[in-house]
Amino acid sequence: MKRTGRAGRGGASKRWRPRRLVGGLRVRLVVTFVVVALISAVTSTALAYREARTAVLQRTQNTAVDDLRKQVTAVAADFDIPPDKGSLTRFATKVSNGIGARLVVARFQHLSAVSDSLADTEGRITTELRTAVRSGEGARFQRVMWREEPYLVVGMPVLIHDSEGQERISGLEVFAITDLRAEHEDTAALLDSVRSGIVPVVGLAAVLALLAAGTVLRPVRKLGRATRELAAGDLGSRVSVRGHDELAELARTFNETADALQTSDAELREQEAKARRFVADVSHELRTPLAAMTMVATVLEEDADQLPPDAARAARTVGAETARLARLVEDLMEISRFDAKAVRLNAAETDLADTVRASLALRGWTDRVQTHLDEGVRAVVDRRRIDVIVANLVGNALRHGAPPVTVTLRTVPTRDATSTESVVLEVADHGPGLPPEARERVFERFYKADAARTRSAADASGQGSGLGTAIALENARLHGGTIDVGDGPGGGAVFVLRLPLRRTGEESE
């Protein structure tokens, strides 16, 4: 699966993540292969060992039983019952010589004879085997461990014919003891040879697992890389499709999803651009008729005192709403310029305390606002935009808060690498404040903190365009600053403007 790419809108920043060697899919595949191979090898070894051991011992048992039966039958034909100790010993010796010099024990009632008088047979012939042989039901055998060595003990009763030709138990019992060490060594050697083959089998399984994991994971890694690029914003990221297996189907689905996402993104961007152009065009077209309406409304307001009460009230309402509509149009045009990235700073070194006082005086708020302004704080700013910020924040506090409204200007140290100090402008009121959900959305456009109000609590532009705090925040960001909102120590809302303190000769963002 070979990855291909097409440049998306705005490009994409590639963030490569380190591979996880522990717990990754490759490790799990290899471990699974090795475990399955190991289990298969161990199981095969165990089965092979059991079958081989069973076959060897079965062959030995059958041979020992057949040899003993034939030799006992041949020797017992000339044997007199009841025997004495000497004849019983000779019987055991003849049987032993006939079956390959194995140790033979012959028993008749209380007499017992061993083919090798020096051999110790105690413990090799168990009580269970003697009882089974004494029952007279033919040859019996038993494998025993004696002095940590394996032995096969075969026992059988000797049958004789009576005067009527019928077979009966003579009371003579014969036991042959066969050493199984050779068979044990053969099966142990077989087990060692099979066990030594487990290591190469497991190694081969690991190699095959690595090859299989590489074949499976290579397209998965490429698909993961393309997915990360897509998440980072490269909507043109694609993967090539090879074959007709599940991975190829997954790659094909990814490409279809990416195509649909890219198409949707393009449509959304186009619709957003059209919406912005529409707002800008409508706002621009409304300026001329609004200017005429404003002049008419101004004339009506000036003559309102000479009109009947109802007509005067209507004239003042028309004037107020016309002014509000005019401000809304101006705010919409300002927001459109921000969205279009067409806003520029006309920055110059300005005395911020004088700017704040001038903004308050212009709107007649000097007597309604308490000020605590550090003198001599000068910075390179756009004076008109600072005036807009102050008007929005103070107007918002006056309208929705409660007196006293205070404005504080000071400088504080900063860790910003571009400046050593910051300008902080705080606007506080003593009203009910803003609930947490309203603080999170107070800078959104047209957000209403209280659905029962006809105007936005986020508005601070004088008569409620609903865009005041949004425009204030955009102007702050244009200066490289920000605006935060919180609760004051004594209640009420506190809006805090933070700007980097730059002076003439320093680079402005």
Side-chain angles (χ1 to χ4, degrees), residues 1 223 242-253:
M1 197 181 293
L223 185 60
R242 293 183 178 179
H244 301 282
D245 56 6
E246 288 81 359
L247 290 175
E249 182 64 26
L250 179 61
R252 189 177 297 107
T253 303

Side-chain angles (χ1 to χ4, degrees), residues 352 356 360 369-374 386 389-395 397 404-412 422-430 482-499:
L352 295 179
V356 173
L360 298 177
V369 177
Q370 297 177 4
T371 59
H372 306 283
L373 310 177
D374 287 354
I386 297 298
I389 295 174
V390 172
N392 278 299
L393 298 184
V394 175
V405 175
T406 60
V407 178
T408 304
L409 176 68
R410 67 180 187 274
T411 59
V412 295
S422 294
V423 177
V424 174
L425 179 70
E426 294 183 358
V427 178
D429 64 69
H430 291 74
T482 186
I483 301 177
D484 300 316
V485 62
D487 291 329
V494 179
F495 286 81
V496 181
L497 167 68
R498 288 183 176 86
L499 298 176

Side-chain angles (χ1 to χ4, degrees), residues 13-255:
S13 58
K14 297 182 179 179
R15 297 176 296 176
W16 303 108
R17 301 176 181 175
R19 292 181 186 174
R20 293 183 58 191
L21 299 180
V22 179
L25 186 57
R26 176 188 293 272
V27 175
R28 293 200 294 271
L29 284 175
V30 173
V31 169
T32 301
F33 268 80
V34 171
V35 169
V36 170
L38 184 60
I39 293 175
S40 301
V42 171
T43 303
S44 301
T45 300
L47 292 176
Y49 172 74
R50 188 186 69 177
E51 293 299 326
R53 181 174 179 273
T54 301
V56 171
L57 293 177
Q58 188 68 41
R59 184 176 65 249
T60 302
Q61 290 166 184
N62 294 338
T63 301
V65 171
D66 291 342
D67 290 347
L68 180 62
R69 182 182 291 112
K70 292 177 182 178
Q71 189 63 23
V72 167
T73 300
V75 175
D78 300 328
F79 188 71
D80 295 329
I81 303 295
D84 56 16
K85 179 69 173 179
S87 62
L88 192 60
T89 301
R90 288 190 296 273
F91 179 83
T93 302
K94 287 182 181 181
V95 173
S96 175
N97 294 334
I99 60 175
R102 298 172 189 164
L103 185 62
V104 176
V105 178
R107 298 176 62 89
F108 183 81
Q109 296 180 357
H110 299 294
L111 293 178
S112 177
V114 183
S115 60
D116 184 355
S117 60
L118 300 178
D120 184 7
T121 62
E122 196 67 28
R124 283 187 274 189
I125 303 175
T126 65
T127 304
E128 292 84 1
L129 182 61
R130 289 174 182 173
T131 302
V133 172
R134 194 173 292 121
S135 66
E137 295 180 1
R140 294 288 186 271
F141 63 87
Q142 186 179 36
R143 290 192 296 272
V144 298
M145 293 295 296
W146 185 71
R147 296 178 181 177
E148 299 182 355
E149 297 292 342
Y151 291 91
L152 174 65
V153 182
V154 180
M156 62 178 295
V158 177
L159 303 177
I160 59 175
H161 293 83
D162 56 14
S163 57
E164 298 178 358
Q166 299 293 327
E167 288 187 343
R168 64 181 179 85
I169 298 175
S170 64
L172 178 61
E173 301 167 359
V174 182
F175 298 90
I177 301 175
T178 304
D179 190 349
L180 294 179
R181 281 179 293 183
E183 287 76 5
H184 179 71
E185 292 173 355
D186 291 341
T187 54
L190 176 63
L191 178 62
D192 292 338
S193 63
V194 175
R195 185 185 298 158
S196 63
I198 293 179
V199 176
V201 168
V202 172
L204 179 61
V207 173
L208 294 177
L210 287 172
L211 295 176
T215 302
V216 173
L217 295 181
R218 191 177 299 111
V220 173
R221 285 196 301 269
K222 291 180 179 179
L223 185 60
R225 188 182 304 117
T227 302
R228 289 192 295 272
E229 292 175 354
L230 188 67
D234 183 6
L235 301 183
S237 180
R238 300 291 187 277
V239 291
S240 61
V241 180
R242 293 183 178 179
H244 301 282
D245 56 6
E246 288 81 359
L247 290 175
E249 182 64 26
L250 179 61
R252 189 177 297 107
T253 303
F254 171 82
N255 290 340

Side-chain angles (χ1 to χ4, degrees), residues 332-458:
L332 286 173
M333 294 189 66
E334 184 72 2
I335 285 292
S336 299
R337 284 191 288 268
F338 279 114
D339 291 341
K341 309 298 182 185
V343 178
R344 295 293 181 268
L345 283 177
N346 295 319
E349 187 167 307
T350 304
D351 188 308
L352 295 179
D354 288 345
T355 302
V356 173
R357 280 190 288 265
S359 180
L360 298 177
L362 179 63
R363 293 163 179 82
W365 293 341
T366 302
D367 297 334
R368 301 173 60 188
V369 177
Q370 297 177 4
T371 59
H372 306 283
L373 310 177
D374 287 354
E375 300 296 335
V377 180
R378 302 182 64 84
V380 177
V381 296
D382 188 326
R383 185 184 179 103
R384 183 185 71 83
R385 296 190 183 278
I386 297 298
D387 174 76
V388 171
I389 295 174
V390 172
N392 278 299
L393 298 184
V394 175
N396 195 55
L398 291 172
R399 184 176 307 105
H400 303 293
V405 175
T406 60
V407 178
T408 304
L409 176 68
R410 67 180 187 274
T411 59
V412 295
T414 181
R415 295 181 181 179
D416 188 358
T418 61
S419 63
T420 59
E421 290 182 300
S422 294
V423 177
V424 174
L425 179 70
E426 294 183 358
V427 178
D429 64 69
H430 291 74
L434 290 171
E437 61 274 11
R439 287 201 298 270
E440 294 176 359
R441 303 182 60 189
V442 70
F443 295 103
E444 294 181 7
R445 301 172 186 181
F446 299 109
Y447 171 69
K448 294 182 182 294
D450 185 354
R453 296 179 182 179
T454 58
R455 292 168 184 163
S456 169

